[in-house]
């Protein structure tokens, strides 16, 4: 059995994910990463900044909204991602469809509990149809604007309990649109606010993409997602893939067999690679990177010991396992970064990384400060280390 040790895994990470030499453009970089996390809007731009030399905000916006080569889609683990357009049919038939079923079941429950309808399935069918009709002119609209056109979207329901910070009484419209999005019938169009904020508009998929391919069969869709994942993150363990995909062991094992994945030995257990990906990886020069909250690299694996000291996890991840901003040196997470009140990027290192690494990381901090040009990023998923540094 081919053995791929931690050093080689970090080398693969560097070369394939754009840290050794960079990637040419936003679309190429997204394909290299399989998908980009988009729960926080700024993550998309900052993840591409870290991988594509010279990229601008306009370049990212153009790929998303003008060329529409990149599309936001709710999929694995009920998480919002940016997909390369050609990968959407695989997701629509597999991971996104799985989420859509879960979303619809939850919506039916809420509609009934709120007393909005005695037959919640029929109510949802009517509301979905009314929304799609209201969107027929192709104008991107926010959920609030759609509520004015489809009054049923303003129906109220209670989520959680009042004492919970996330609980309260809400219009059901946001969950209706999220479900339609998971089903692939609508997509997120242009952002209604600043690029760093999550204020989406909605557009019918057939009007945004012009030609809409059919969803792939479930097994084929999952196999393609796992194939892409192994190309980006391999070798990875079965645990990694099950977690990233938000699926079951049965689904993952079937996909691995379908693509002919090969088992390899790791420093801890065994993992999987594509059948044509067994050649040794040539070393790369040491590299520095500053990655944003929920960056696809740091969120690519569940078993992270080959690039993250487990003792650092409580400082750099929140209690739900969401990664904050991270600072990397030569394939390892060594701390995080924050911005001060003037928008200057500051390093918060958890380890003594030495003079060479310190100089390289400080250069990255200066480069990011200049690129942001005073724009301050507000993070929903700030890590304890980030929060502590901001309070200090």
């Amino acid at each position: 059995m081919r053995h791929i040790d931690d050093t080689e895994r970090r080398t693969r990470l560097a070369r394939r994910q754009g840290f050794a030499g960079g990637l040419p453009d936003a679309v190429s970089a997204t394909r290299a990463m399989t998908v980009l996390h988009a729960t926080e809007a700024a993550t998309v731009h900052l993840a591409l900044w870290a991988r594509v030399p010279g990229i601008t905000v306009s370049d990212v916006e153009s790929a998303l909204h003008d060329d529409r080569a990149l599309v936001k889609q709710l999929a694995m683990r009920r998480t919002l991602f940016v997909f390369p357009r050609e990968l959407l049919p695989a997701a629509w038939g597999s991971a996104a469809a799985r989420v859509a079923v879960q979303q619809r079941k939850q919506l039916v429950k809420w509609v009934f509990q709120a007393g909005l309808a005695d037959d919640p399935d029929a109510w949802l069918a009517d509301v979905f149809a009314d929304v799609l009709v209201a969107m027929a002119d192709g104008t991107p609209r926010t959920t609030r604007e759609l509520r004015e056109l489809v009054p049923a979207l303003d129906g109220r329901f209670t989520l959680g309990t009042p004492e919970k910070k996330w609980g309260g009484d809400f219009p059901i419209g946001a969950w209706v649109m999220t479900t339609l999005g998971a089903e692939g019938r609508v997509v997120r169009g242009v952002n209604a606010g600043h690029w760093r904020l999550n204020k989406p508009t909605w557009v019918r998929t057939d009007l945004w993409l012009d030609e809409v391919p059919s969803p792939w069969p479930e097994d084929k869709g999952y196999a393609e997602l796992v194939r892409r994942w192994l190309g980006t993150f391999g070798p990875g363990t079965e645990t990694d893939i099950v977690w990233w995909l938000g699926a079951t062991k049965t689904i993952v094992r079937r996909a691995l067999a379908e693509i002919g994945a090969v088992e390899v030995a790791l420093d801890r257990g065994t993992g999987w690679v594509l059948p044509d990906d067994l050649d040794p990886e040539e070393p790369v020069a040491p590299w520095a990177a500053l990655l944003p909250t929920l960056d696809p690299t740091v969120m690519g694996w569940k078993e992270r010991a080959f690039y993250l000291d487990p003792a650092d996890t409580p400082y750099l991840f929140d209690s739900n396992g969401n990664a904050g901003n991270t600072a990397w040196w030569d394939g390892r997470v060594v701390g995080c970064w924050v911005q001060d009140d003037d928008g200057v990027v500051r390093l918060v290192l958890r380890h003594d990384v030495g003079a060479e690494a310190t100089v390289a990381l400080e250069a990255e901090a200066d480069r990011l400060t200049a690129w942001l040009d005073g724009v301050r990023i507000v993070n929903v998923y700030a890590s304890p280390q980030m929060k502590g540094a901001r309070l200090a």
Side-chain angles (χ1 to χ4, degrees):
M1 186 183 293
R2 165 89 154 88
H3 180 232
I4 300 178
D5 64 17
D6 286 354
T7 299
E8 186 174 355
R9 293 183 75 183
R10 291 191 292 269
T11 299
R12 285 170 167 248
L13 181 161
R15 182 168 281 121
R16 299 174 189 203
Q17 300 189 22
F19 304 118
L23 296 164
D25 54 54
V27 177
S28 299
T30 304
R31 287 178 179 143
M33 297 308 304
T34 302
V35 289
L36 304 176
H37 277 258
T39 303
E40 293 200 2
T43 294
V44 177
H45 299 72
L46 294 173
L48 291 170
W49 167 85
R51 295 168 171 85
V52 182
I55 197 169
T56 65
V57 169
S58 295
D59 293 334
V60 180
E61 297 289 290
S62 180
L64 286 166
H65 305 137
D66 298 329
D67 302 335
R68 300 171 190 178
L70 303 178
V71 182
K72 292 182 178 181
Q73 172 67 45
L74 198 72
M76 298 76 74
R77 307 190 313 280
R78 199 187 172 278
T79 298
L80 185 64
F81 294 95
V82 167
F83 278 77
R85 180 168 171 165
E86 75 277 2
L87 189 55
L88 285 171
W92 286 338
S94 57
R98 181 183 178 89
V99 171
V101 169
Q102 297 166 346
Q103 285 283 120
R104 183 182 278 265
K105 286 181 178 178
Q106 186 65 69
L107 258 180
V108 167
K109 177 181 176 182
W110 286 336
V111 169
F112 183 76
Q113 288 180 344
L116 298 178
D118 293 330
D119 186 347
D121 288 298
W123 185 90
L124 278 178
D126 290 342
V127 172
F128 284 174
D130 290 345
V131 169
L132 294 174
V133 168
M135 301 173 77
D137 62 359
T139 301
R141 292 183 174 91
T142 64
T143 301
R144 181 184 295 274
E145 291 168 335
L146 285 168
R147 280 161 47 194
E148 296 174 359
L149 298 176
V150 184
L153 294 178
D154 208 26
R156 314 294 290 192
F157 78 105
T158 300
L159 180 62
T161 55
E163 63 269 15
K164 300 286 188 181
K165 64 180 181 180
W166 47 265
D169 186 54
F170 300 97
I172 206 162
W175 280 264
V176 169
M177 297 312 299
T178 298
T179 303
L180 282 170
E183 292 180 352
R185 294 202 270 175
V186 301
V187 294
R188 288 161 174 80
V190 296
N191 204 26
H194 194 279
W195 62 264
R196 75 190 190 284
L197 302 176
N198 189 21
K199 293 186 177 181
T201 59
W202 297 95
V203 190
R204 271 179 26 181
T205 305
D206 59 333
L207 301 177
W208 187 253
L209 299 182
D210 297 325
E211 295 182 8
V212 183
S214 299
W216 288 9
E218 181 182 15
D219 287 356
K220 182 182 177 183
Y222 276 125
E224 180 62 10
L225 291 176
V226 172
R227 187 184 71 80
R228 297 276 189 124
W229 186 90
L230 285 177
T232 299
F233 299 100
T237 66
E238 181 182 276
T239 298
D240 291 327
I241 304 170
V242 168
W243 173 80
W244 183 88
L245 200 58
T248 64
K249 289 182 179 180
T250 298
I251 288 171
V252 169
R253 289 171 182 172
R254 187 182 299 129
L256 289 170
E258 175 69 21
I259 63 179
V262 177
E263 195 169 14
V264 296
L266 306 176
D267 284 354
R268 287 164 294 279
T270 62
W272 297 89
V273 296
L274 293 172
D276 59 354
D277 192 23
L278 290 164
D279 292 339
E281 196 81 33
E282 292 297 321
V284 299
W287 53 276
L290 300 183
L291 303 185
T293 294
L294 302 177
D295 183 86
T297 292
V298 74
M299 296 296 292
W301 298 267
K302 183 174 178 62
E303 299 182 320
R304 301 168 174 139
F306 77 97
Y307 67 87
L308 174 71
D309 183 340
D312 290 339
T313 300
Y315 300 94
L316 302 175
F317 290 74
D318 69 15
S319 58
N320 293 318
N322 298 304
N325 298 341
T326 50
W328 292 64
W329 173 246
D330 202 21
R332 300 178 195 271
V333 178
V334 295
C336 70
W337 60 272
V338 296
Q339 287 178 283
D340 65 20
D341 291 341
D342 296 321
V344 175
V345 174
R346 296 195 294 111
L347 300 173
V348 185
L349 301 181
R350 294 198 50 75
H351 303 276
D352 181 0
V353 295
E356 179 187 7
T358 300
V359 169
L361 286 165
E362 287 179 346
E364 284 297 285
D366 291 342
R367 189 169 73 90
L368 182 53
T369 297
W371 191 82
L372 288 170
D373 193 24
V375 172
R376 297 190 67 240
I377 305 301
V378 178
N379 300 108
V380 175
Y381 296 98
S383 65
Q385 187 82 73
M386 291 168 64
K387 293 176 181 177
R390 287 169 177 166
L391 292 172

